[in-house]
Amino acid sequence: MKMMFASRCQQGMRDENQDRTGAELDDRKACFLVCDGVAGLPGGDIAAQLVRDTLLTQLQHSATFTPESTRAAIEHCQQVLIEAQGNNPNFSRMSTTLAALFIDREKQRAWWAHAGDSRVYHFRHGVLNQVTRDHSLAQQLREAGYENTGINSNLLYNALGVEPARPATFSEVITLADGDAFLVCSDGFWLNLTTHEMELALRMVNACEEWLTLMEQAVNRSVKSDNLSALAVWIGEPQEATLLYSQADAARFLPSRY
């Protein structure tokens, strides 16, 4: 199964970049992940790196690759993080979001998990098919029918390392189709792009790297305060499954000559 990916991890106007991205892939399996240290608490960068490294190591040494084994790997990450909190009083509340995409290349299927407000987007035939639901107060209010509440989108009720501990949310397993595209990203990335803009960018390119670059350029032209982290993943030939872009599409992303 043909698969391509590209990644970005760019510091915004923050004093430090607490985002971590990672990828583990071989002929049998693949994992793409983003961790974003929870702001306002010391050690967010340590938590993000610890979870990233632990999860990738678990996948490297696991004899099986199933939704159950990946769930166990994330639970192990949670336990390792809690132990690290106990070993250092200065970082006793350090925590991180997680968004992870898992792909079984042999069985041509995928699933994903998340905790917090880092997201996994799935596009099919050039349009959004599924997206994770943030573990945030803002998301809960939107689902209750409240819009433009002014609530800080960073108020999370779940992330790895928070108390009380909650499990990560797992998707259903899907069968992959030629042309599927995925975006795994932190809130600093998706907050500055609409889903429609992501779809337009996907229709304009011939390579996975180009898709991520177009989206990154669009974010860079907006007010950018947070760090930007994302991985784009293509299955097969997405450019052959999407629509030809229009001049209106191009105008959104291509800078003016004047």
Side-chain angles (χ1 to χ4, degrees):
M1 180 181 66
K2 182 178 179 180
M3 184 170 63
M4 298 172 287
F5 80 96
S7 64
R8 294 286 188 280
C9 192
Q10 180 185 132
Q11 185 167 340
M13 297 183 212
R14 297 286 182 89
D15 292 335
E16 60 180 343
N17 187 355
Q18 295 192 347
D19 292 1
R20 299 292 185 272
T21 62
E24 169 66 24
L25 65 160
D26 55 32
D27 292 338
R28 184 171 62 94
K29 65 182 182 299
C31 172
F32 305 93
L33 66 88
V34 168
C35 294
D36 180 2
V38 175
L41 299 173
D45 57 333
I46 298 173
Q49 182 153 341
L50 182 60
V51 168
R52 180 198 65 184
D53 294 348
T54 301
L55 181 54
L56 295 181
T57 298
Q58 287 286 297
L59 296 177
Q60 288 172 359
H61 296 104
S62 176
T64 60
F65 187 70
T66 63
E68 293 74 24
S69 68
T70 54
R71 187 184 299 273
I74 291 177
E75 290 173 353
H76 179 70
C77 291
Q78 178 88 302
Q79 186 58 42
V80 168
L81 182 53
I82 291 172
E83 292 176 0
Q85 291 173 331
N87 291 334
N88 193 330
N90 293 326
F91 301 139
S92 62
R93 298 177 62 200
M94 64 179 178
S95 53
T96 180
T97 71
L98 169 69
L101 168 66
F102 304 101
I103 296 176
D104 185 329
R105 303 186 72 177
E106 293 180 326
K107 297 181 179 179
Q108 297 190 11
R109 61 180 191 165
W111 61 95
W112 48 90
H114 83 288
D117 59 358
S118 293
R119 292 182 174 182
V120 178
Y121 291 82
H122 172 215
F123 299 86
R124 180 162 286 178
H125 303 305
V127 298
L128 178 68
N129 190 51
Q130 295 185 63
V131 62
T132 51
R133 294 181 176 179
D134 304 334
H135 297 141
S136 68
L137 180 58
Q139 180 69 42
Q140 287 182 322
L141 291 173
R142 285 194 296 269
E143 292 177 357
Y146 297 97
E147 296 292 339
N148 301 319
T149 61
I151 294 293
N152 188 337
S153 64
N154 291 327
L155 295 177
L156 306 179
Y157 63 84
N158 191 20
L160 300 187
V162 301
E163 290 291 343
R166 294 183 173 91
T169 297
F170 270 74
S171 73
E172 297 294 326
V173 177
I174 66 166
T175 300
L176 292 170
D178 183 47
D180 277 352
F182 296 90
L183 179 66
V184 185
C185 60
S186 65
D187 65 326
F189 198 89
W190 64 257
L191 275 171
N192 292 290
L193 283 175
T194 67
T195 299
H196 183 58
E197 289 168 337
M198 296 175 185
E199 292 171 345
L200 294 183
L202 182 58
R203 295 170 189 167
M204 293 172 60
V205 297
N206 293 307
C208 184
E209 179 73 28
E210 294 174 359
W211 183 41
L212 192 53
T213 297
L214 267 188
M215 291 187 290
E216 182 184 30
Q217 289 174 348
V219 171
N220 284 339
R221 288 198 293 275
S222 67
V223 177
K224 183 187 69 174
S225 59
D226 204 352
N227 303 312
L228 307 178
S229 296
L231 295 100
V233 182
W234 278 17
I235 306 299
E237 303 288 349
Q239 71 274 20
E240 295 182 3
T242 58
L243 303 175
L244 293 176
Y245 71 89
S246 66
Q247 290 300 316
D249 293 344
R252 167 63 183 85
F253 289 95
L254 301 179
S256 172
R257 298 180 181 177
Y258 305 101

